[in-house]
Amino acid sequence: MTTTGMTVTAMLPGHADQVLAIYQAGIDGGDATFETTAPAWEAFDASRLPEHRLVAVGGAGRVLGWAAVVPVSGRCAYAGVVEHSVYVRPDARGGGVGLALLGALLASTDAAGIWTVQSGVFPENAASLGLHAKAGFRVVGTRERIGRHHGRWRDVVLLERRSPVVT
C-alpha cells in the first residue's frame, strides 16, 4: 500500500532499530502502554504474528510507524482474535500514517480469517481513540483501575473491530 510519501510494507528485521525507537518514544510519552521500556528485538519478534507486522516507510527508508498483532489466547476458540498495536514516530503524527497502517493491518487480518481485532487504550490518548473510531473500532467498555502505571491506577478503554468479511 502506498500513501502520499510513504509505503506500507512488511516489517523486516532490518527495521528493528527504528521500530523499537518508535515504540520507546510511545512508551516515554506515558499514555500508550503499561510497558516502561521497549523489549529487545528477539522478544518483540517472537511475540508478534509474523504475517501481520507492518511498517510505514518514508523517504530514505525512514520508518514512520508500525503496526503488529499478538494472539489473545492459545485456546483454539480464540484463534481468530488478536490484539494489535500501532505506533507512529512523534514527528510523523497527524499525517495519516496511523490510519494507513491500521487500514493495511485490518486488510491483512481480514484476509487471514481473523474475526476480531482488539486493543486497550488509555482514555487520555485521544489521538488513538480518534484513529480507532475512524478505522471502524467500537468501544466495548472501560476497564477501570486495571493496572498501576508510574505509581497511579490507570483505566483502559477496550476497543474492538469485528471483520465485515469473516463470518
Side-chain angles (χ1 to χ4, degrees), residues 114-146:
I114 293 171
W115 58 84
T116 301
V117 178
Q118 67 182 37
S119 188
V121 176
F122 291 135
E124 298 84 1
N125 194 339
S128 184
L129 292 172
L131 167 66
H132 286 87
K134 284 182 188 175
F137 283 76
R138 70 181 182 98
V139 173
V140 175
T142 299
R143 301 180 79 191
E144 297 176 354
R145 296 173 47 101
I146 194 70

Side-chain angles (χ1 to χ4, degrees), residues 68-72 81-85 116-120:
V69 303
V70 297
V72 298
V81 183
V82 296
E83 183 171 355
H84 83 286
S85 298
T116 301
V117 178
Q118 67 182 37
S119 188

Side-chain angles (χ1 to χ4, degrees), residues 75-100:
R75 296 175 65 193
C76 63
Y78 296 101
V81 183
V82 296
E83 183 171 355
H84 83 286
S85 298
V86 59
Y87 283 79
V88 177
R89 40 179 321 124
D91 61 357
R93 292 179 185 154
V97 174
L99 192 57

Side-chain angles (χ1 to χ4, degrees), residues 24-50:
Q24 188 62 53
I27 291 168
D28 292 345
D31 284 331
T33 179
F34 281 107
E35 299 298 332
T36 56
T37 187
W41 175 252
E42 294 74 20
F44 181 97
D45 183 51
S47 65
R48 274 97 181 152
L49 296 176

